[in-house]
Amino acid sequence: MKKEEVRSLIIFSVMFIAGLLVCFKVVGPANVEYGPEKMKPLLFIALNLVAAFLVNIIGLELLHVLGAVIGGYSVTKVNILKFCIYKDSENNWKFGYRDYDGLTGETTIVPKKEKPNIKPYIWCPLFGYAIELASCIVIYTMISKGVTTGEVKSTWFAVSALILILVSSLIAVYNFAPFKLDSMTDGYRLALLNKEVNIKAYNEVLKIEDLHRQGKSVENVTVFDEITEYTASLNIIALYKFLEKGDLKKANDVVSKLLEHQDILDEPQYNRLIAQKLYIEVLTSDVEKAKSLYDELCPDKIRRFIANDVSMESIRAYILIAGMIEESENEVLYAKSRVEKAMKRTYKFQASVEEKLLNDAVEYVYKEHPKWNKENLAK
């Protein structure tokens, strides 16, 4: 299980336990005291929970839209529980049912001016939550005092305010967590975009994603000298552009620079960059030099990772390692047998490049081993 998945599980557990405690210890007793007499308590609470949930998830995305407009971005998609309005490849607005990256929804944006400000996009939902929380606390307090003095007769709104506080706070716990979870959150964006270089990289990524949305090719990708968790991701995109163009020297320069920052990369990412390095080395140098690099960079743990990893980076590298360094046809065939599964996990913009790089690796191995069964390698 990945670190972000573990964190997400912890966050969900905290949300679930906290939600139950508040419902039974706070909302339940308040409903007995302030709830409407003509409606069953459970039904009233259930209706309020649904209403509060819808108000908060819709409000969250609308505040993202507001923040994007204030910051100088164009909105390209607003998705709430898979109900999505989005711009198609010709920039016409459409409605459909689509997946999203988030807890309850997603708003995607693209810079529309040279130096946009991402902060309103992140901070607007936080300010919105703060205003909602303060308003509900004031409402509940005023109604409670009104009941005591006899000035307030209709008190059901106090319970609704409590439920709004509960639901909005649970969503806020997830959305404003300042670390990486299983989806991108405002809290993680806030922690990530505390450096100017990360903001620049983030805007570059948004532009690239928008080009993919429009079905356009990405011609130039900025390569960052300052390596952070986020610029590393963008440099990997640049790496694929160099590989696509066949510029293995520039691709090797990008990989080498990234490998200098092992502390920033997670373990699978680092190991796959080792695989990229080996792929380039085998294709551009003699076997002895490639074998020496393999011995230098790959202790047993990394060797096992590359041999068994179901990613195209590792598979095509292992085909060259098995074919050129270890000279094992069976291991090459083993690597080839996992290509279909790996391609399903590959980002769309990388798929065509990976297919070409794989074919180059297979062809290179076959040229060195003409007696091996070409039909098996081509499968």
Side-chain angles (χ1 to χ4, degrees), residues 144-159:
S144 299
K145 287 182 178 179
V147 170
T148 304
T149 60
E151 296 175 1
V152 177
K153 294 182 180 180
S154 180
T155 57
W156 62 267
F157 201 47
V159 182

Side-chain angles (χ1 to χ4, degrees), residues 104-122:
T104 59
E106 177 187 22
T107 297
T108 60
I109 57 177
V110 62
K112 68 176 182 180
K113 61 183 184 180
E114 188 175 344
K115 291 185 178 181
N117 183 3
I118 192 62
K119 291 181 180 178
Y121 176 80
I122 301 171

